[in-house]
Amino acid sequence: MTDDPGRKKVIVRRGVKHAECIKDTSKSSTSVMFSGTASGIVLPIYVVYKADHLYDSWTLDGPKGTRYNRSKSGWFDTTIFEDWFLSVVIPYFRRFKDQKKVMIGDNLASHISKRVIETCQSNNISFVLLPPNSTHLCQPLDVAFFRPLKYKWKQQLDLWKDNNKGVLQKNQFPRLLNKVMKELGDNAGNNLKAGFEACGIVPFNPQNVLKRIPQRTTSSGNSWLESFEEHLENKRSNETSLRIKKKRLTVPPGRSVAELVETNVEHEDIDGDIEVIFDCDNVIQPDSDAENVSEQNNPILIIVPPDDQLPSSSGTQVINLEKEDNIEDITLSLKVNDFIQFYERI
């Protein structure tokens, strides 16, 4: 139960800067355990404050039968859950003595307690845990109880803040919670019954849950299982998750490098009539005169197909490609003026 009443929709004149009055709020909240039966009985409420100690003023004027506790985090831990089970659930189930009883809850880690399980076994209680991420479909209180409860809570909190300054104090929380439960009245029990029915628990009808699951339809007619298998296959073949080996570039301070261009050229793609010549500034056309090329001052790289020969001179590197050569990945460093590194992948 938060200290923020939330936003409201209001009708105002156009141009109003503050359409809704600003009220003091905080990020604080109080944990409350609600539980109920399929017959519409709301069991005693269990409140947990965020504090190291518990004070008497925090337990006054609350709903009848409410129990109060505290924890450093303000959340339910295993110890508090065990206390809730022994002080709220067991006293109610004792009315039915040897009859079979079922307690339904989510699979929160704090709910898995050896002491609770052993107590359930000794009292003929089956503790059923709902599937993960399914409380919006299978938990009766999530389905039909909590929404109207929180709506009433925000209403009462909003009214309280109209007449009081500051954030909601712990000694005011039980009184406000009592007003909320009175506002719900008989609707609380009716909402519980509606939640158990909508979840298909009482009366038992699994179709009530299955029909509320969104049905995915695809144009190809694939079932959800095929779609899931396709998703897993895409995940396994995702190349972005593979580690790519990196190479350190030797670049002097103040110098930059261009983006590396990657191409794949197979031997059969190379025509005997084409010669590929690169220098550091431009690409020399295939019909360039090799004699003139070799006379250039800057070091250049010449790549020619098999059976062709070009003159080699100082500052010129000539590589003849042979069919058996592996040219899948060629990395070359060229010196131009002071120092420039040139890379080309073929």
Side-chain angles (χ1 to χ4, degrees), residues 134-175:
S134 67
T135 55
H136 63 293
L137 296 172
C138 304
Q139 219 272 38
L141 279 78
D142 274 4
V143 172
F145 186 84
F146 286 142
R147 183 171 181 175
L149 172 71
K150 290 185 177 181
Y151 178 76
K152 292 294 183 182
W153 168 257
K154 290 183 177 182
Q155 279 187 332
Q156 291 298 325
L157 184 62
D158 193 45
L159 292 175
W160 186 88
K161 289 183 177 291
D162 285 339
N163 302 315
N164 299 272
K165 293 183 180 180
V167 299
L168 180 66
Q169 302 297 322
K170 291 182 176 63
N171 55 8
Q172 298 292 326
F173 181 83
R175 186 177 296 107

Side-chain angles (χ1 to χ4, degrees), residues 5 14 52 94 97 174 276 332:
R14 180 178 296 178
D52 292 329
R94 281 175 181 165
K97 296 182 180 180
V276 186
L332 299 146

Side-chain angles (χ1 to χ4, degrees), residues 248-302:
R248 181 177 178 180
L249 302 181
T250 307
V251 182
R255 296 300 180 92
S256 62
V257 295
E259 180 182 1
L260 304 184
V261 181
E262 295 186 359
T263 58
N264 293 320
V265 179
E266 302 295 340
H267 282 270
E268 56 268 23
D269 295 332
I270 301 178
D271 193 343
D273 298 331
I274 298 177
E275 54 191 38
V276 186
I277 304 175
F278 294 92
D279 66 6
C280 294
D281 298 321
N282 60 351
V283 177
I284 301 177
Q285 300 299 326
D287 56 354
S288 299
D289 188 355
E291 294 290 342
N292 297 331
V293 170
S294 63
E295 293 176 357
Q296 295 186 18
N297 295 327
N298 289 344
I300 62 174
L301 167 69
I302 304 173

